Amino acid sequence: MPGVWAVVVAAGSGRRFGGPKQYELLAGRPVIEWSVCVARAACDGVVLVVAPADVAPHRSADAVVAGGDTRSASVRNGLAAVPDDAEVIVVHDAARPLAAPELFAAVIDAVRGGADGALCAIPVTDTIRHAQHGTIDRAPLVAVQTPQAFRAAALRAAHNDGADATDDAALVEAAGGRVVVVPGDPANIKITHPEDLVIAAALLGTRP
Ligand code: CTP
Ligand code: MG
């Protein structure tokens, strides 16, 4: 199936959370289910990447593959399962269960409009301090989220040499690609620490 494919990465160990947070329940449903279901709704195909011990068929994913030691390695394993004729590939963290379909649409549209990649990001609200240089001006800073969409060829090329980065946009830019930024959503939080699960449940409660 050509078109838009999602790679949902869920192979992390959740060191900061204290365990594999993607399987924690959020409003009665595992975090990973929220993330896979929005990807399913927003894209033509879904590849789910999980820890090797967790590989099993998933009703909302077209393929389930084993991840690697780093997030980038997990993305690469997912990419290998995306059909060659996919035009746009969206990478999404399973740890962001509250991403809205509109956010997927926004990054996909930006790539359809000609960018090599598109990420969503929100302004930084905390005062940011550099360990050596002290407080830095936050005005030009944004906090980067997923989903991130890419021209499939640009994402595959950026991952070709096995490089590592905390997100895919950084790899595509390092490979010379043009990445645009679309407005993110403050409610699209990443479950990182146990407190984030409480916040996510509260945010879900505010949805219509
Ligand atoms: N991830 C992955 N493979 C890895 C590492 C991370 O698929 N080797 C995924 C996580 O499952 C998560 C997303 O990448 O959905 C973002 O990573 P992060 O929030 O850092 O999750 P963890 O790496 O699991 O957490 P921690 O860094 O605290 O160990
Ligand atoms: Mg991590």
Side-chain angles (χ1 to χ4, degrees), residues 116-128:
D116 294 309
L119 60 82
C120 46
I122 56 172
V124 169
T125 54
D126 286 322
T127 293
I128 305 290

Side-chain angles (χ1 to χ4, degrees), residues 26-67:
L26 170 60
R29 208 151 71 114
V31 166
I32 188 172
E33 291 298 320
W34 290 95
S35 310
V36 172
C37 286
V38 67
R40 171 91 269 158
C43 303
D44 300 313
V46 178
V47 173
L48 175 60
V49 185
V50 297
D54 298 329
V55 174
H58 187 287
R59 70 186 179 291
S60 297
D62 299 279
V64 182
V65 301

Side-chain angles (χ1 to χ4, degrees), residues 122-130 134-143:
I122 56 172
V124 169
T125 54
D126 286 322
T127 293
I128 305 290
R129 190 174 165 81
H130 187 284
T135 299
I136 55 178
D137 179 18
R138 75 167 167 243
L141 301 180
V142 293

Side-chain angles (χ1 to χ4, degrees), residues 149-200:
F150 303 93
R151 210 164 44 74
L155 184 62
R156 291 192 197 274
H159 273 284
N160 238 349
D161 61 355
D164 238 46
T166 53
D167 78 350
D168 301 282
L171 289 179
V172 168
E173 266 180 340
R178 185 173 69 90
V179 174
V180 300
V181 179
V182 308
D185 177 4
N188 177 26
I189 64 168
K190 183 160 73 71
I191 308 295
T192 302
H193 299 106
E195 296 77 8
D196 297 320
L197 206 50
V198 179
I199 296 167

